[in-house]
Amino acid sequence: METRAEEQLIGPLLLARGTIDRSSALRADDAWLERAWAAPTTRVLVIQDGQTLVRRSGDEVRAVLFSPEEAPAGERYLLGVEGDVAYFAVAAPLPGGATGDGNGRVTVPMSPLDAPEGETVSAGLRQAGGLLGDRDAGLLVHAVALEAWHSAHEFCPRCGNRTEVRAGGHVRVCPRDSSQHFPRVDPAVIMLVRDQDDRCLLARGPRWPEGRMSILAGFVEPGESLEHAVIREVAEEVGIQVARPRYLGSQPWPFPRSLMLGFFAEALTTTLTPDAEEIVEARWFSREELTQAIASGELRLPPPVSIARRLIETWYGDRLTGDW
């Protein structure tokens, strides 16, 4: 199958945006961090269990940012600098305007666009990531990833002592053995497989309801290249052989710490034998069959915030409806 010139990703990768200079050289400067925190221009995004506060204004959704004086107490993470404005995240309970369920979890609307004009609501990346502007989307992805890592790495893996936050939230240090621990990123390949008839392969995992399908994905194993991971994962999940993996783009997926690396791959065989533990249904779709399945409600696609949706639309050649 020939590579087609039009195979450039259709639309932006919505969680790969951002305008803020991460300013990594400033993270170890404790004096600068204190001055930045005290500056009246500094803005703070509050993060709790992957949620932050957002506000709708017309068709726009913006993150609610606070001054350091307004922000609650909590662990601070430097997100970066833009001009004379420093941006921090604080991991703490969300200020007034968000409701909880009594167990520390935050109630989230299906979409911030459903909220009344001007009302502050809580939302995570799945709900708001595609609605926020470039700056706010980048801030939220960074904050969500750091909060998730810190929540799981409070103790030293060497000696079990409680670690301390350093370097603007980008390092944890053990005061007992002086070991340093850095945020993890787990690479995962996600691939759109197509056959010689240019059909697209979609599949459904065991925890998904009927009709909800996406493309195949899996984590990269130690000592493995991305291309080999594509070939191995497809063979393991649906029992077919693929060749010529071609990279198209990547975006962070901090649930809790993945980096999704998107590929197209060409099927050498087409008889599907799903792994029952990972795949309960797998099907080939032509463009016409996909269109009909979406229109009838038989098929629901991944949401636009996902790289899976962008890869499917790139193969299809246009934007699609039918989010799950």
Side-chain angles (χ1 to χ4, degrees):
M1 182 182 300
E2 294 183 359
T3 298
R4 298 178 305 183
E6 67 268 22
E7 285 176 356
Q8 303 296 322
L9 282 175
I10 290 180
L13 294 171
L14 295 175
L15 299 188
R17 299 173 293 150
T19 63
I20 304 301
D21 180 350
R22 293 196 169 205
S23 307
S24 58
L26 297 172
R27 295 171 187 168
D29 189 336
D30 292 337
W32 181 91
L33 290 171
E34 289 303 316
R35 291 196 303 272
W37 182 257
T41 55
T42 290
R43 290 295 173 263
V44 181
L45 184 146
V46 182
I47 189 81
Q48 179 189 12
D49 297 330
Q51 311 290 310
T52 196
L53 297 180
V54 300
R55 184 178 297 129
R56 181 174 75 86
S57 177
D59 293 333
E60 294 185 352
V61 175
R62 298 178 181 176
V64 177
L65 302 177
F66 299 88
S67 69
E69 292 182 350
E70 298 169 326
E75 287 185 349
R76 301 178 195 169
Y77 315 140
L78 175 66
L79 301 180
V81 176
E82 184 177 50
D84 62 351
V85 180
Y87 292 91
F88 286 82
V90 168
L94 298 179
T99 57
D101 64 0
N103 295 308
R105 293 184 291 269
V106 176
T107 302
V108 185
M110 289 299 294
S111 169
L113 291 177
D114 297 332
E117 176 83 15
E119 181 173 322
T120 298
V121 297
S122 59
L125 284 172
R126 287 187 171 92
Q127 295 81 25
L131 303 173
L132 295 169
D134 290 354
R135 183 201 68 177
D136 289 358
L139 291 173
L140 184 55
V141 170
H142 195 175
V144 168
L146 285 176
E147 184 206 25
W149 178 73
H150 282 286
S151 68
H153 291 80
E154 294 182 65
F155 299 94
C156 177
R158 293 184 177 182
C159 68
N161 196 66
R162 183 176 293 275
T163 54
E164 299 173 350
V165 178
R166 303 280 179 82
H170 292 77
V171 179
R172 294 190 77 100
V173 176
C174 177
R176 177 182 293 172
D177 63 19
S178 300
S179 59
Q180 298 182 340
H181 308 279
F182 298 86
R184 281 184 52 190
V185 175
D186 295 337
V189 290
I190 182 164
M191 43 276 178
L192 185 142
V193 179
R194 56 185 189 174
D195 68 4
Q196 293 298 313
D197 295 322
D198 206 14
R199 296 181 300 171
C200 168
L201 176 61
L202 298 181
R204 178 167 66 91
R207 292 181 292 179
W208 298 354
E210 190 170 349
R212 179 181 294 183
M213 302 184 81
S214 185
I215 56 179
L216 302 178
F219 287 105
V220 181
E221 294 188 346
E224 185 176 46
S225 72
L226 301 177
E227 293 79 6
H228 285 166
V230 169
I231 295 168
R232 174 186 55 78
E233 282 288 344
V234 174
E236 289 178 355
E237 293 190 351
V238 294
I240 66 172
Q241 302 299 311
V242 298
R244 292 177 288 280
R246 188 166 71 84
Y247 173 76
L248 279 128
S250 68
Q251 77 167 6
W253 192 249
F255 303 110
R257 54 181 173 267
S258 297
L259 175 66
M260 306 300 294
L261 301 129
F263 287 82
F264 272 12
E266 300 172 17
L268 302 179
T269 59
T270 58
T271 300
L272 302 174
T273 308
D275 177 345
E277 292 187 3
E278 296 192 53
I279 304 294
V280 295
E281 179 185 11
R283 291 172 55 189
W284 292 103
F285 287 88
S286 67
R287 289 174 180 79
E288 181 179 358
E289 290 168 340
L290 185 74
T291 302
Q292 292 174 350
I294 293 172
S296 69
E298 174 190 355
L299 177 65
R300 306 291 289 177
L301 294 178
V305 75
S306 69
I307 190 172
R309 177 61 164 268
R310 291 290 174 254
L311 292 172
I312 294 170
E313 290 178 334
T314 299
W315 163 80
Y316 185 80
D318 201 354
R319 296 294 181 88
L320 290 162
T321 59
D323 305 349
W324 65 34

